[in-house]
């Protein structure tokens, strides 16, 4: 039996429940996200979302990614503003990339990221993201796609705790700052 065909497409309102269920599943297997599963629907639709995509296999949502507007002085946004002089109108934040365990090994995460990157390029947005230090699979994916670390930060949990994150900028942006 072959693996189901996975389609990556823009997220629709009717996908929120399926994306939330996938998020809860990923949290159960991987501990990601570190918070936000108490209200998973809100987590897959965070404030400021400009566009989101889902990966779907046999009618089931198996992955998600969003691009949103900056929300305050979050790690990668603050570092990118400082290093580039960009203002928030030109920055997009890649948010909530996840793929359920059963759909991994099929480049679903890469396909979702490429959608987000194409969207950012088409709108001249400088894409940035934070990734939890311990999430080595995500770090490998971002670096394989040409993302470059721009520093580190401490990301707050909802309960006052903090977690170390690496901050990245998309590959097209790095060339622009370096003059290439």
């Amino acid at each position: 039996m072959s693996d189901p065909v996975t389609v990556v497409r823009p997220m629709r309102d009717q996908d929120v429940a399926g994306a939330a269920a996938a998020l809860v599943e990923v949290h159960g297997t991987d501990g990601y996200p570190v918070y936000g599963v108490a209200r998973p629907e809100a987590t897959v639709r965070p404030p400021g979302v400009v566009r989101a995509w889902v990966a779907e296999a046999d009618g089931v949502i198996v992955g998600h990614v969003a691009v949103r507007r900056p929300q305050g002085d979050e790690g990668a946004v603050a570092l990118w503003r400082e290093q580039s002089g960009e203002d928030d109108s030109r920055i997009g934040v890649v948010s909530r990339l996840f793929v359920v365990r059963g759909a991994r090994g099929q480049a679903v995460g890469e396909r979702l990221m490429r959608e987000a990157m194409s969207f950012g390029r088409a709108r001249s947005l400088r894409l940035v993201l934070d990734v939890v230090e311990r999430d080595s699979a995500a770090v490998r994916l971002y670096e394989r796609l040409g993302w470059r670390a721009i520093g580190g930060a401490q990301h707050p949990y909802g309960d006052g705790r903090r977690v170390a994150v690496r901050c990245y900028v998309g590959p097209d942006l790095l060339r622009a700052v370096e003059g290439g």
Side-chain angles (χ1 to χ4, degrees):
M1 180 191 252
S2 64
D3 289 328
V5 174
T6 302
V7 175
V8 173
R9 60 171 175 75
M11 185 172 172
R12 302 180 299 239
D13 289 341
Q14 58 265 38
D15 296 325
V16 172
L23 178 79
V24 170
E25 180 179 336
V26 169
H27 179 75
T29 59
D30 303 330
Y32 175 84
V34 292
Y35 66 90
V37 295
R39 296 182 52 229
E41 292 84 6
T43 302
V44 297
R45 280 282 172 99
V49 168
V50 180
R51 181 77 47 93
W53 298 265
V54 293
E56 180 181 26
D58 286 344
V60 176
I61 304 298
V62 297
H64 171 276
V65 70
V67 173
R68 61 177 176 73
R69 292 287 178 198
Q71 305 292 307
D73 282 334
E74 52 204 324
V77 173
L79 283 170
W80 183 245
R81 268 193 230 121
E82 182 181 303
Q83 293 175 21
S84 71
E86 292 279 358
D87 66 50
D88 286 1
S89 69
R90 302 279 318 255
I91 299 172
V93 181
V94 174
S95 180
R96 295 297 180 236
L97 172 65
F98 59 86
V99 176
V100 299
R101 186 166 282 174
R104 294 182 191 161
Q106 302 169 36
V108 174
E110 179 175 339
R111 290 172 54 205
L112 286 162
M113 278 301 294
R114 288 191 185 281
E115 287 291 331
M117 292 165 65
S118 291
F119 177 82
R121 246 187 323 277
R123 284 152 187 82
S124 299
L125 291 175
R126 277 47 176 164
L127 295 182
V128 298
L129 62 83
D130 295 342
V131 61
V132 175
E133 287 272 349
R134 70 173 188 259
D135 195 346
S136 58
V139 167
R140 283 191 307 273
L141 171 64
Y142 301 139
E143 290 181 356
R144 187 174 68 247
L145 291 174
W147 288 69
R148 296 291 181 258
I150 57 173
Q154 294 290 312
H155 190 78
Y157 285 80
D159 65 2
R161 292 180 293 154
R162 299 175 94 55
V163 63
V165 296
R166 288 187 197 179
C167 302
Y168 284 84
V169 65
D172 296 336
L173 310 174
L174 189 64
R175 286 194 294 274
V177 168
E178 292 174 344

